[in-house]
Amino acid sequence: MRALGALLGGALIALAWPASPPLAADGDPAHGARVYNARCVLCHGGKGMGEGFLPLKLDDYPSTNLRDSDAVDLAVIERAVRTGSGSGSPSPYSPPWQNELGDDDIRAVAAFVRLLRTDVEAAIALLDATHDESVRADGGNLYATRCAICHGAGGTGDGKMSKIIKSPPPFDLTRSVMPRAYLAEIISKGGEALMRSPKMPPWGEELSAAEIEAVIDYIVALRTTALSHE
C-alpha cells in the first residue's frame, strides 16, 4: 500500500499543476492568484480573510487572515510559503509547499499575498478573474488541489492536515465502498449534511457537477487500484 501511495503521489505531482511560464524575479501576482485559488482557499478563504472552511469548522484553529499581518517583504512572505511553520509563518498549522510548488509558483504566491496586503481591491479582482480558469475538469488535478491535503495523495487519509484533523481523521478513501451517488452527495454537501465528519467541506458551490463526477472517477480508480494490489 505504501508503494502504491508513493507511485500515485508521484503521478499526482505531475498532474497537479501545469508547468509555470517564465516569471519576473519578484513573481507574477496574477499567477499567484491562480495558485492561491487552487491551493490556499481551504484555510485562508476566498478573499484571504481567514474565512476558509477549516478555520471556521475546527475549534481553536488559529487565525488564517492574511490581511492581519503588515509584512510586505517578499523574502519574508516567500519563506513562510516555502517552509510553512519552519520560518516566518504566523501559524504552526501552515504547511510547507516547497516540495509541491515550483520556485516560480512560490514567488508568484508571495507577490499575490503582498498585493493582498497593499491593494485589497486589486487582489480580489485577480482572484475573481482567475477562479474559473484555476479549476480544471480533470479528476486527478481536482483531487490533488482540493482533496489530497486531507486524504493524502494516494487517498489513504495521510494528507498534511491529518496531523491536525482528528476524531475522526480524514477517511481512507481506498477503503470506501460507497456508491457513486453517495460520493456525489458528500462531496457536494459536505460530511455534516450526511451525518459524517463536519470537517469534510462541501464543494457543491465551487465545483460543477461534471467536475464532481471527475473527482469521483478518480476516487473510484484509487480504491480499485488499491484492491487489486492486496
Side-chain angles (χ1 to χ4, degrees), residues 36-70:
Y36 179 92
N37 266 322
R39 302 298 185 116
C40 310
V41 294
L42 193 62
C43 290
H44 294 292
K47 298 185 184 300
M49 297 177 64
E51 77 280 22
F53 181 85
L54 289 180
L56 292 179
K57 280 292 183 180
L58 300 183
D59 293 338
D60 301 321
Y61 202 95
S63 173
T64 58
N65 188 342
L66 292 172
R67 302 191 209 173
D68 278 348
S69 172
D70 57 2

Side-chain angles (χ1 to χ4, degrees), residues 14-201:
L15 281 170
W17 199 256
S20 301
L23 301 175
D26 285 348
D28 176 6
H31 181 63
R34 296 185 188 98
V35 180
Y36 179 92
N37 266 322
R39 302 298 185 116
C40 310
V41 294
L42 193 62
C43 290
H44 294 292
K47 298 185 184 300
M49 297 177 64
E51 77 280 22
F53 181 85
L54 289 180
L56 292 179
K57 280 292 183 180
L58 300 183
D59 293 338
D60 301 321
Y61 202 95
S63 173
T64 58
N65 188 342
L66 292 172
R67 302 191 209 173
D68 278 348
S69 172
D70 57 2
V72 294
D73 186 307
L74 280 175
V76 172
I77 301 171
E78 181 181 334
R79 187 166 60 247
V81 176
R82 187 179 298 279
T83 64
S85 59
S87 178
S89 174
S91 167
Y93 287 65
S94 179
W97 291 104
Q98 58 191 352
N99 294 325
E100 296 183 41
L101 296 179
D103 289 340
D104 287 343
D105 292 331
I106 290 173
R107 283 194 293 269
V109 172
F112 171 75
V113 172
R114 180 174 68 173
L115 183 66
L116 190 66
R117 291 170 178 167
T118 57
D119 190 340
V120 172
E121 290 186 4
I124 298 303
L126 282 181
L127 284 176
D128 291 342
T130 59
H131 175 75
D132 291 338
E133 65 182 79
S134 72
V135 181
R136 299 164 57 209
D138 176 286
N141 180 69
L142 290 168
Y143 178 90
T145 58
R146 300 300 195 280
C147 314
I149 193 170
C150 290
H151 293 288
T156 54
D158 59 348
K160 292 177 183 293
M161 298 305 296
S162 65
K163 296 178 181 180
I164 298 169
I165 299 176
K166 308 290 184 181
S167 302
F171 191 68
D172 180 350
L173 298 175
T174 67
R175 298 295 180 182
S176 172
V177 296
M178 292 299 184
R180 293 183 68 95
Y182 180 89
L183 294 179
E185 270 205 281
I186 197 168
I187 293 171
S188 177
K189 299 176 181 178
E192 190 170 22
L194 277 71
M195 300 181 70
R196 299 289 293 272
S197 173
K199 299 164 189 175
M200 163 69 186

Side-chain angles (χ1 to χ4, degrees), residues 1-9 11 153-156 172-176 216-230:
M1 183 66 72
R2 290 181 180 176
L4 172 65
L7 178 62
L8 287 170
T156 54
D172 180 350
L173 298 175
T174 67
R175 298 295 180 182
S176 172
I216 293 172
D217 286 341
Y218 194 76
I219 292 172
V220 171
L222 283 176
R223 68 190 187 188
T224 301
T225 303
L227 286 172
S228 70
H229 282 75
E230 290 186 346

